[in-house]
Amino acid sequence: MRIKRWLIGTGVALTVLAVAATVLYLFGGMQPPSAEARAAYAAEVAANRQPAVEARFVIPIPGCVCHSDDPVLQVQHAVLRMNECGRCHTRG
């Protein structure tokens, strides 16, 4: 009886972790860029040098940031989800 409860508890915990990982993969993304980067991008948009970025539902993942110094890339990457990161981050 004790082993059965342990197996059920372990199965439930693994299922919850798998669902959480899937949700983060589908909807998780980088943390929002700094206020300075957003302001620099807004200036570029106002000057018609860059297109406005459409807002998307993205769950910010702590520690996930754009490592570029370019505010354009930072703002454009802020709306990408984890499953779309392969555009820039490819292995090999």
Side-chain angles (χ1 to χ4, degrees), residues 17-86:
L17 286 174
V19 168
T22 301
V23 167
L24 285 178
Y25 181 72
L26 294 176
F27 298 106
M30 66 176 255
Q31 293 180 320
S34 67
E36 294 85 15
R38 290 192 307 268
Y41 189 76
E44 292 289 315
V45 171
N48 285 328
R49 290 190 290 261
Q50 294 294 330
V53 175
E54 290 186 36
R56 290 175 69 188
F57 175 71
V58 176
I59 301 169
I61 298 174
C64 182
V65 296
C66 182
H67 297 284
S68 175
D69 293 332
D70 184 8
V72 172
L73 283 178
Q74 289 181 15
V75 173
Q76 289 174 346
H77 287 177
V79 296
L80 294 179
R81 295 179 180 142
M82 228 175 169
N83 61 348
E84 300 168 320
C85 290

Side-chain angles (χ1 to χ4, degrees), residues 5-6 10 12 17-18 26 51-52 55 57 68 78 82 87 90:
R5 275 198 297 179
W6 183 84
T10 302
V12 168
L17 286 174
L26 294 176
F57 175 71
S68 175
M82 228 175 169
R87 294 178 187 172
T90 56

